[in-house]
Amino acid sequence: MFTGIIEASGTIRHITHEGTNVHFDIDSSLSPELKIDQSLAHDGVCLTVVQTTPESYRVTAIDETMQKTNLSQWGIGKKVNLERCMPANGRFDGHIVQGHVDQVGMVKNISDQNGSWVFDLEFDHELGNVTVEKGSISVNGTSLTCFNSGPGRFSVAIIPYTYEHTNFHQLQPGDLVNLEFDILGKYIQRITKGYDLT
């Protein structure tokens, strides 16, 4: 379990394809503290550490992960947001994030607010995911608050610290981002709509 508070960034150093699996070698200041089998969120995607060195580590993404997230667009040199799992005695500074991306969204517009930035995002609402005004959302693993919420769209405001210490400063209109919708909202929606058993 994660909280959406980004600890560090990583840089993609090498990408290796093996069958339908993709191995990512990532340079990060967290590398010396990582161990094999440890879970780590990468732009909101929970991946398992399979190799470590003092400077870098490796994670593997299966085809399902590649299809449901923006990992297929990762390239050498890309910066990714990193967060280790929350310790049992940790604080919830963000919200409950599972590291299970629900779908990708698209950055439609970025507005400079002279001290902050507003990102307008869109997603395919026919997949059944919803946001609510002032509700929580994870965008590339970052815990944020929605506003201008509507079917298939919402906005988030980014303060300078978040802008500088995550990969939000690299995003451009048209870029795809990983979205994980609030777990409480997902359960409530499933309860109210029921299961499609056909």
mmCIF file of all heavy atoms in Angstrom, residues 150-185:
data_model
loop_
_atom_site.group_PDB
_atom_site.id
_atom_site.type_symbol
_atom_site.label_atom_id
_atom_site.label_comp_id
_atom_site.label_asym_id
_atom_site.label_seq_id
_atom_site.Cartn_x
_atom_site.Cartn_y
_atom_site.Cartn_z
ATOM 1 N N GLY A 150 -16.041 16.055 -13.741
ATOM 2 C CA GLY A 150 -17.192 15.735 -14.564
ATOM 3 C C GLY A 150 -16.967 14.407 -15.250
ATOM 4 O O GLY A 150 -15.908 13.785 -15.081
ATOM 5 N N PRO A 151 -17.922 13.930 -16.036
ATOM 6 C CA PRO A 151 -17.748 12.649 -16.723
ATOM 7 C C PRO A 151 -16.517 12.667 -17.630
ATOM 8 O O PRO A 151 -16.452 13.435 -18.592
ATOM 9 C CB PRO A 151 -19.038 12.506 -17.537
ATOM 10 C CG PRO A 151 -20.038 13.371 -16.841
ATOM 11 C CD PRO A 151 -19.251 14.531 -16.306
ATOM 12 N N GLY A 152 -15.532 11.865 -17.290
ATOM 13 C CA GLY A 152 -14.346 11.748 -18.115
ATOM 14 C C GLY A 152 -13.388 12.917 -18.049
ATOM 15 O O GLY A 152 -12.513 13.042 -18.915
ATOM 16 N N ARG A 153 -13.505 13.740 -17.033
ATOM 17 C CA ARG A 153 -12.589 14.883 -16.947
ATOM 18 C C ARG A 153 -12.449 15.348 -15.503
ATOM 19 O O ARG A 153 -13.341 15.151 -14.673
ATOM 20 C CB ARG A 153 -13.085 16.046 -17.802
ATOM 21 C CG ARG A 153 -14.422 16.600 -17.348
ATOM 22 C CD ARG A 153 -14.832 17.837 -18.133
ATOM 23 N NE ARG A 153 -16.191 18.243 -17.816
ATOM 24 C CZ ARG A 153 -16.526 18.963 -16.742
ATOM 25 N NH1 ARG A 153 -15.593 19.359 -15.891
ATOM 26 N NH2 ARG A 153 -17.788 19.280 -16.517
ATOM 27 N N PHE A 154 -11.332 15.969 -15.213
ATOM 28 C CA PHE A 154 -11.099 16.619 -13.929
ATOM 29 C C PHE A 154 -9.848 17.477 -14.059
ATOM 30 O O PHE A 154 -9.098 17.371 -15.029
ATOM 31 C CB PHE A 154 -10.933 15.598 -12.788
ATOM 32 C CG PHE A 154 -9.706 14.731 -12.909
ATOM 33 C CD1 PHE A 154 -8.523 15.062 -12.268
ATOM 34 C CD2 PHE A 154 -9.739 13.563 -13.675
ATOM 35 C CE1 PHE A 154 -7.400 14.258 -12.380
ATOM 36 C CE2 PHE A 154 -8.623 12.752 -13.786
ATOM 37 C CZ PHE A 154 -7.446 13.108 -13.145
ATOM 38 N N SER A 155 -9.636 18.318 -13.070
ATOM 39 C CA SER A 155 -8.430 19.148 -13.009
ATOM 40 C C SER A 155 -7.746 18.942 -11.673
ATOM 41 O O SER A 155 -8.377 18.554 -10.692
ATOM 42 C CB SER A 155 -8.779 20.637 -13.184
ATOM 43 O OG SER A 155 -9.392 20.878 -14.429
ATOM 44 N N VAL A 156 -6.435 19.195 -11.655
ATOM 45 C CA VAL A 156 -5.673 19.184 -10.410
ATOM 46 C C VAL A 156 -4.772 20.412 -10.389
ATOM 47 O O VAL A 156 -4.331 20.888 -11.446
ATOM 48 C CB VAL A 156 -4.817 17.901 -10.250
ATOM 49 C CG1 VAL A 156 -5.695 16.677 -10.058
ATOM 50 C CG2 VAL A 156 -3.877 17.715 -11.433
ATOM 51 N N ALA A 157 -4.510 20.924 -9.201
ATOM 52 C CA ALA A 157 -3.600 22.061 -9.030
ATOM 53 C C ALA A 157 -2.283 21.545 -8.462
ATOM 54 O O ALA A 157 -2.277 20.741 -7.526
ATOM 55 C CB ALA A 157 -4.220 23.104 -8.109
ATOM 56 N N ILE A 158 -1.189 22.010 -9.028
ATOM 57 C CA ILE A 158 0.142 21.548 -8.643
ATOM 58 C C ILE A 158 0.933 22.710 -8.054
ATOM 59 O O ILE A 158 1.139 23.736 -8.711
ATOM 60 C CB ILE A 158 0.895 20.974 -9.860
ATOM 61 C CG1 ILE A 158 0.067 19.886 -10.545
ATOM 62 C CG2 ILE A 158 2.256 20.451 -9.448
ATOM 63 C CD1 ILE A 158 -0.212 18.689 -9.675
ATOM 64 N N ILE A 159 1.357 22.555 -6.808
ATOM 65 C CA ILE A 159 2.166 23.591 -6.161
ATOM 66 C C ILE A 159 3.618 23.476 -6.626
ATOM 67 O O ILE A 159 4.027 22.454 -7.180
ATOM 68 C CB ILE A 159 2.086 23.473 -4.626
ATOM 69 C CG1 ILE A 159 2.689 22.142 -4.149
ATOM 70 C CG2 ILE A 159 0.642 23.645 -4.139
ATOM 71 C CD1 ILE A 159 2.803 22.036 -2.635
ATOM 72 N N PRO A 160 4.428 24.521 -6.441
ATOM 73 C CA PRO A 160 5.808 24.480 -6.932
ATOM 74 C C PRO A 160 6.619 23.294 -6.437
ATOM 75 O O PRO A 160 7.387 22.710 -7.211
ATOM 76 C CB PRO A 160 6.389 25.809 -6.440
ATOM 77 C CG PRO A 160 5.211 26.731 -6.390
ATOM 78 C CD PRO A 160 4.061 25.859 -5.941
ATOM 79 N N TYR A 161 6.475 22.911 -5.169
ATOM 80 C CA TYR A 161 7.271 21.793 -4.646
ATOM 81 C C TYR A 161 6.951 20.518 -5.416
ATOM 82 O O TYR A 161 7.852 19.786 -5.837
ATOM 83 C CB TYR A 161 7.017 21.587 -3.156
ATOM 84 C CG TYR A 161 7.843 20.457 -2.580
ATOM 85 C CD1 TYR A 161 9.119 20.706 -2.082
ATOM 86 C CD2 TYR A 161 7.366 19.145 -2.556
ATOM 87 C CE1 TYR A 161 9.903 19.683 -1.581
ATOM 88 C CE2 TYR A 161 8.137 18.119 -2.068
ATOM 89 C CZ TYR A 161 9.401 18.387 -1.572
ATOM 90 O OH TYR A 161 10.179 17.360 -1.097
ATOM 91 N N THR A 162 5.662 20.236 -5.587
ATOM 92 C CA THR A 162 5.261 19.027 -6.322
ATOM 93 C C THR A 162 5.716 19.115 -7.777
ATOM 94 O O THR A 162 6.188 18.125 -8.352
ATOM 95 C CB THR A 162 3.737 18.847 -6.253
ATOM 96 O OG1 THR A 162 3.342 18.787 -4.879
ATOM 97 C CG2 THR A 162 3.297 17.578 -6.958
ATOM 98 N N TYR A 163 5.580 20.273 -8.374
ATOM 99 C CA TYR A 163 5.976 20.474 -9.773
ATOM 100 C C TYR A 163 7.457 20.167 -9.961
ATOM 101 O O TYR A 163 7.855 19.515 -10.943
ATOM 102 C CB TYR A 163 5.671 21.916 -10.173
ATOM 103 C CG TYR A 163 5.825 22.224 -11.643
ATOM 104 C CD1 TYR A 163 4.822 21.908 -12.542
ATOM 105 C CD2 TYR A 163 6.966 22.860 -12.113
ATOM 106 C CE1 TYR A 163 4.948 22.203 -13.892
ATOM 107 C CE2 TYR A 163 7.108 23.165 -13.455
ATOM 108 C CZ TYR A 163 6.095 22.834 -14.348
ATOM 109 O OH TYR A 163 6.236 23.131 -15.679
ATOM 110 N N GLU A 164 8.279 20.598 -9.024
ATOM 111 C CA GLU A 164 9.728 20.438 -9.156
ATOM 112 C C GLU A 164 10.217 19.052 -8.754
ATOM 113 O O GLU A 164 11.199 18.553 -9.294
ATOM 114 C CB GLU A 164 10.450 21.493 -8.309
ATOM 115 C CG GLU A 164 10.211 22.922 -8.769
ATOM 116 C CD GLU A 164 10.640 23.947 -7.742
ATOM 117 O OE1 GLU A 164 11.272 23.552 -6.729
ATOM 118 O OE2 GLU A 164 10.337 25.143 -7.933
ATOM 119 N N HIS A 165 9.525 18.405 -7.796
ATOM 120 C CA HIS A 165 10.024 17.144 -7.233
ATOM 121 C C HIS A 165 9.308 15.909 -7.776
ATOM 122 O O HIS A 165 9.504 14.806 -7.244
ATOM 123 C CB HIS A 165 9.925 17.188 -5.710
ATOM 124 C CG HIS A 165 10.919 18.114 -5.086
ATOM 125 N ND1 HIS A 165 10.685 19.465 -4.944
ATOM 126 C CD2 HIS A 165 12.165 17.892 -4.595
ATOM 127 C CE1 HIS A 165 11.729 20.036 -4.363
ATOM 128 N NE2 HIS A 165 12.641 19.116 -4.154
ATOM 129 N N THR A 166 8.482 16.083 -8.791
ATOM 130 C CA THR A 166 7.876 14.957 -9.499
ATOM 131 C C THR A 166 8.112 15.186 -10.991
ATOM 132 O O THR A 166 8.755 16.173 -11.381
ATOM 133 C CB THR A 166 6.363 14.855 -9.225
ATOM 134 O OG1 THR A 166 5.702 15.981 -9.827
ATOM 135 C CG2 THR A 166 6.082 14.834 -7.725
ATOM 136 N N ASN A 167 7.578 14.283 -11.824
ATOM 137 C CA ASN A 167 7.763 14.497 -13.257
ATOM 138 C C ASN A 167 6.655 15.346 -13.882
ATOM 139 O O ASN A 167 6.529 15.404 -15.108
ATOM 140 C CB ASN A 167 7.915 13.163 -14.013
ATOM 141 C CG ASN A 167 6.744 12.226 -13.842
ATOM 142 O OD1 ASN A 167 5.665 12.621 -13.417
ATOM 143 N ND2 ASN A 167 6.958 10.959 -14.177
ATOM 144 N N PHE A 168 5.876 16.047 -13.049
ATOM 145 C CA PHE A 168 4.869 16.950 -13.606
ATOM 146 C C PHE A 168 5.493 18.059 -14.440
ATOM 147 O O PHE A 168 4.892 18.528 -15.406
ATOM 148 C CB PHE A 168 3.995 17.551 -12.487
ATOM 149 C CG PHE A 168 2.797 16.714 -12.165
ATOM 150 C CD1 PHE A 168 2.878 15.698 -11.221
ATOM 151 C CD2 PHE A 168 1.591 16.918 -12.805
ATOM 152 C CE1 PHE A 168 1.779 14.913 -10.934
ATOM 153 C CE2 PHE A 168 0.483 16.133 -12.513
ATOM 154 C CZ PHE A 168 0.583 15.123 -11.574
ATOM 155 N N HIS A 169 6.705 18.479 -14.086
ATOM 156 C CA HIS A 169 7.337 19.553 -14.853
ATOM 157 C C HIS A 169 7.734 19.112 -16.258
ATOM 158 O O HIS A 169 8.050 19.947 -17.108
ATOM 159 C CB HIS A 169 8.567 20.087 -14.107
ATOM 160 C CG HIS A 169 9.671 19.097 -13.942
ATOM 161 N ND1 HIS A 169 9.717 18.205 -12.900
ATOM 162 C CD2 HIS A 169 10.766 18.845 -14.699
ATOM 163 C CE1 HIS A 169 10.798 17.452 -13.014
ATOM 164 N NE2 HIS A 169 11.449 17.810 -14.099
ATOM 165 N N GLN A 170 7.698 17.798 -16.524
ATOM 166 C CA GLN A 170 8.026 17.294 -17.852
ATOM 167 C C GLN A 170 6.792 17.018 -18.704
ATOM 168 O O GLN A 170 6.913 16.780 -19.910
ATOM 169 C CB GLN A 170 8.847 16.002 -17.739
ATOM 170 C CG GLN A 170 10.211 16.203 -17.097
ATOM 171 C CD GLN A 170 11.006 14.920 -17.046
ATOM 172 O OE1 GLN A 170 10.457 13.853 -16.768
ATOM 173 N NE2 GLN A 170 12.288 15.016 -17.333
ATOM 174 N N LEU A 171 5.618 17.041 -18.101
ATOM 175 C CA LEU A 171 4.402 16.706 -18.844
ATOM 176 C C LEU A 171 4.014 17.814 -19.812
ATOM 177 O O LEU A 171 4.189 19.005 -19.524
ATOM 178 C CB LEU A 171 3.254 16.439 -17.881
ATOM 179 C CG LEU A 171 3.364 15.179 -17.014
ATOM 180 C CD1 LEU A 171 2.191 15.101 -16.045
ATOM 181 C CD2 LEU A 171 3.440 13.926 -17.877
ATOM 182 N N GLN A 172 3.471 17.386 -20.945
ATOM 183 C CA GLN A 172 2.984 18.293 -21.976
ATOM 184 C C GLN A 172 1.578 17.862 -22.389
ATOM 185 O O GLN A 172 1.202 16.691 -22.216
ATOM 186 C CB GLN A 172 3.909 18.259 -23.202
ATOM 187 C CG GLN A 172 5.340 18.676 -22.935
ATOM 188 C CD GLN A 172 5.462 20.146 -22.572
ATOM 189 O OE1 GLN A 172 4.680 20.967 -23.053
ATOM 190 N NE2 GLN A 172 6.424 20.477 -21.725
ATOM 191 N N PRO A 173 0.778 18.787 -22.933
ATOM 192 C CA PRO A 173 -0.531 18.380 -23.452
ATOM 193 C C PRO A 173 -0.383 17.226 -24.447
ATOM 194 O O PRO A 173 0.501 17.233 -25.302
ATOM 195 C CB PRO A 173 -1.051 19.656 -24.128
ATOM 196 C CG PRO A 173 -0.409 20.765 -23.350
ATOM 197 C CD PRO A 173 0.972 20.252 -23.033
ATOM 198 N N GLY A 174 -1.244 16.240 -24.295
ATOM 199 C CA GLY A 174 -1.181 15.056 -25.136
ATOM 200 C C GLY A 174 -0.494 13.873 -24.482
ATOM 201 O O GLY A 174 -0.641 12.735 -24.949
ATOM 202 N N ASP A 175 0.256 14.118 -23.403
ATOM 203 C CA ASP A 175 0.933 13.025 -22.705
ATOM 204 C C ASP A 175 -0.074 12.149 -21.968
ATOM 205 O O ASP A 175 -1.086 12.638 -21.456
ATOM 206 C CB ASP A 175 1.954 13.563 -21.702
ATOM 207 C CG ASP A 175 3.218 14.084 -22.367
ATOM 208 O OD1 ASP A 175 3.401 13.837 -23.574
ATOM 209 O OD2 ASP A 175 4.015 14.739 -21.673
ATOM 210 N N LEU A 176 0.232 10.852 -21.906
ATOM 211 C CA LEU A 176 -0.587 9.916 -21.158
ATOM 212 C C LEU A 176 -0.059 9.778 -19.738
ATOM 213 O O LEU A 176 1.158 9.742 -19.520
ATOM 214 C CB LEU A 176 -0.609 8.550 -21.843
ATOM 215 C CG LEU A 176 -1.191 8.504 -23.251
ATOM 216 C CD1 LEU A 176 -1.145 7.084 -23.788
ATOM 217 C CD2 LEU A 176 -2.613 9.049 -23.283
ATOM 218 N N VAL A 177 -0.967 9.690 -18.780
ATOM 219 C CA VAL A 177 -0.595 9.540 -17.376
ATOM 220 C C VAL A 177 -1.363 8.367 -16.789
ATOM 221 O O VAL A 177 -2.452 8.010 -17.261
ATOM 222 C CB VAL A 177 -0.883 10.824 -16.566
ATOM 223 C CG1 VAL A 177 0.026 11.955 -17.008
ATOM 224 C CG2 VAL A 177 -2.348 11.233 -16.683
ATOM 225 N N ASN A 178 -0.799 7.767 -15.744
ATOM 226 C CA ASN A 178 -1.445 6.655 -15.046
ATOM 227 C C ASN A 178 -2.411 7.196 -13.999
ATOM 228 O O ASN A 178 -2.045 8.049 -13.190
ATOM 229 C CB ASN A 178 -0.392 5.776 -14.375
ATOM 230 C CG ASN A 178 0.501 5.087 -15.376
ATOM 231 O OD1 ASN A 178 0.037 4.627 -16.418
ATOM 232 N ND2 ASN A 178 1.795 5.007 -15.075
ATOM 233 N N LEU A 179 -3.634 6.677 -14.021
ATOM 234 C CA LEU A 179 -4.664 7.107 -13.076
ATOM 235 C C LEU A 179 -5.085 5.949 -12.184
ATOM 236 O O LEU A 179 -5.392 4.859 -12.678
ATOM 237 C CB LEU A 179 -5.900 7.631 -13.817
ATOM 238 C CG LEU A 179 -5.701 8.807 -14.775
ATOM 239 C CD1 LEU A 179 -7.029 9.148 -15.440
ATOM 240 C CD2 LEU A 179 -5.137 10.018 -14.050
ATOM 241 N N GLU A 180 -5.082 6.186 -10.888
ATOM 242 C CA GLU A 180 -5.700 5.260 -9.939
ATOM 243 C C GLU A 180 -6.755 6.039 -9.175
ATOM 244 O O GLU A 180 -6.442 6.997 -8.463
ATOM 245 C CB GLU A 180 -4.680 4.658 -8.964
ATOM 246 C CG GLU A 180 -5.340 3.674 -8.012
ATOM 247 C CD GLU A 180 -4.400 3.075 -6.983
ATOM 248 O OE1 GLU A 180 -3.199 2.919 -7.289
ATOM 249 O OE2 GLU A 180 -4.861 2.757 -5.863
ATOM 250 N N PHE A 181 -7.998 5.628 -9.348
ATOM 251 C CA PHE A 181 -9.115 6.324 -8.723
ATOM 252 C C PHE A 181 -9.258 5.898 -7.266
ATOM 253 O O PHE A 181 -8.774 4.842 -6.861
ATOM 254 C CB PHE A 181 -10.396 6.053 -9.517
ATOM 255 C CG PHE A 181 -10.348 6.609 -10.911
ATOM 256 C CD1 PHE A 181 -9.731 5.898 -11.938
ATOM 257 C CD2 PHE A 181 -10.879 7.852 -11.204
ATOM 258 C CE1 PHE A 181 -9.664 6.407 -13.224
ATOM 259 C CE2 PHE A 181 -10.810 8.378 -12.490
ATOM 260 C CZ PHE A 181 -10.196 7.648 -13.503
ATOM 261 N N ASP A 182 -9.897 6.737 -6.484
ATOM 262 C CA ASP A 182 -10.016 6.518 -5.036
ATOM 263 C C ASP A 182 -10.677 5.178 -4.737
ATOM 264 O O ASP A 182 -11.765 4.872 -5.258
ATOM 265 C CB ASP A 182 -10.813 7.663 -4.417
ATOM 266 C CG ASP A 182 -10.945 7.514 -2.923
ATOM 267 O OD1 ASP A 182 -9.915 7.347 -2.250
ATOM 268 O OD2 ASP A 182 -12.082 7.547 -2.424
ATOM 269 N N ILE A 183 -10.038 4.363 -3.903
ATOM 270 C CA ILE A 183 -10.518 3.020 -3.612
ATOM 271 C C ILE A 183 -11.905 3.037 -2.970
ATOM 272 O O ILE A 183 -12.753 2.177 -3.255
ATOM 273 C CB ILE A 183 -9.498 2.251 -2.725
ATOM 274 C CG1 ILE A 183 -9.938 0.805 -2.523
ATOM 275 C CG2 ILE A 183 -9.279 2.963 -1.407
ATOM 276 C CD1 ILE A 183 -9.980 -0.026 -3.764
ATOM 277 N N LEU A 184 -12.166 4.009 -2.118
ATOM 278 C CA LEU A 184 -13.492 4.080 -1.482
ATOM 279 C C LEU A 184 -14.563 4.358 -2.529
ATOM 280 O O LEU A 184 -15.641 3.759 -2.516
ATOM 281 C CB LEU A 184 -13.496 5.159 -0.399
ATOM 282 C CG LEU A 184 -12.534 4.943 0.769
ATOM 283 C CD1 LEU A 184 -12.610 6.118 1.742
ATOM 284 C CD2 LEU A 184 -12.842 3.639 1.487
ATOM 285 N N GLY A 185 -14.276 5.266 -3.442
ATOM 286 C CA GLY A 185 -15.226 5.577 -4.501
ATOM 287 C C GLY A 185 -15.487 4.375 -5.393
ATOM 288 O O GLY A 185 -16.625 4.144 -5.830
#
